[in-house]
Amino acid sequence: MTFGQRFARAVTVTVVRVPPLWRVLRRPLTRNFDRMAPQWDALRVDARRLAAIDAALEAVDPAPARVLDLGTGSGAVARRAAGRWPGAAVTGADVSTGMIAEATRLADSPNQHYEVADASALPFADGSFDLVTMNNMIPFFDEVARVTAPGGNVAIAYGLGERTPIYVPLDRVRASLEQRGFVHVANFEVNGGLSLLARKRS
Ligand SMILES: C[S@@+](CC[C@H](N)C(=O)[O-])C[C@H]1O[C@@H](n2cnc3c(N)ncnc32)[C@H](O)[C@@H]1O
């Protein structure tokens, strides 16, 4: 792993254990992603890295009307969700203004919208989304649970499995979601990537 990737892993491990520490780590991590934003889509987004999140999206039932892609980066997963469910309103949120500029530039359908937002304190009302997705993103479980509608789904994936710089073991993800009223639906392992789908109790 590069220095930046090791830093992202250290931030992930720290913040999942002690979420308030995000306040001090947010600035350097965001700066890091702002720097990478112009090249992100070309260098870090490909079908292999997206296979695990695709598997989880394939299993989402029923089709969502409102989708939130957290840590959207250049918007790859938001674009996939918007293409898969053309009737859905898809929001991509990221703390990096550079990434949001890229995602907005690359948007390929009118049902996508991108905005700068911090996943630790989201500017959305409780239960605003039928599906929340996160690909290679640090999960802030309290906020994920708050903005997911009853009966809605959460899909979380790590495209390179345990080698993904931003990685949380799926048993930890599962336990954290179950503590917050979610039921585990399935785990997926595709092309070395790992993902999990869970549904919030109605
Ligand atoms: C490894 S990149 C993944 C980007 C995209 N999901 C993908 O698969 O290409 C992680 C992204 O999460 C964003 N991020 C990290 N912490 C965040 C937070 N608290 N709120 C919103 N976005 C965050 C970063 O700015 C970065 O764009």
Side-chain angles (χ1 to χ4, degrees), residues 1 9 158-170 189 192-194:
M1 279 197 237
R9 171 65 72 93
Y158 300 102
L160 299 176
E162 295 176 11
R163 293 188 301 115
T164 314
I166 292 183
Y167 169 73
V168 181
L170 291 188
E189 188 170 354
L194 296 168

Side-chain angles (χ1 to χ4, degrees), residues 22 33 40 71-73 94-96 99 117-119 135-137 140:
W22 173 243
F33 281 112
W40 186 264
T72 195
D94 202 289
V95 76
S96 155
M99 287 293 194
D118 186 339
N135 191 51
N136 307 338
M137 162 62 182
F140 290 84

Side-chain angles (χ1 to χ4, degrees), residues 126-144:
D126 298 359
S128 296
F129 298 97
D130 310 304
L131 172 65
V132 178
T133 59
M134 283 168 282
N135 191 51
N136 307 338
M137 162 62 182
I138 304 168
F140 290 84
F141 292 107
D142 287 341
E143 280 295 83
V144 168

Side-chain angles (χ1 to χ4, degrees), residues 49-134:
R49 284 187 171 92
L50 293 168
I53 191 77
D54 280 343
L57 297 186
E58 182 69 33
V60 169
D61 183 40
R66 302 161 299 170
V67 180
L68 174 63
D69 183 38
L70 282 175
T72 195
S74 54
V77 173
R79 289 195 295 280
R80 282 171 121 71
R84 185 181 283 274
W85 298 293
V90 178
T91 301
D94 202 289
V95 76
S96 155
T97 50
M99 287 293 194
I100 289 300
E102 275 299 286
T104 303
R105 185 179 70 79
L106 293 168
D108 55 5
S109 64
N111 61 330
Q112 297 161 52
H113 156 79
Y114 296 94
E115 64 184 80
V116 176
D118 186 339
S120 73
L122 289 166
F124 307 119
D126 298 359
S128 296
F129 298 97
D130 310 304
L131 172 65
V132 178
T133 59
M134 283 168 282

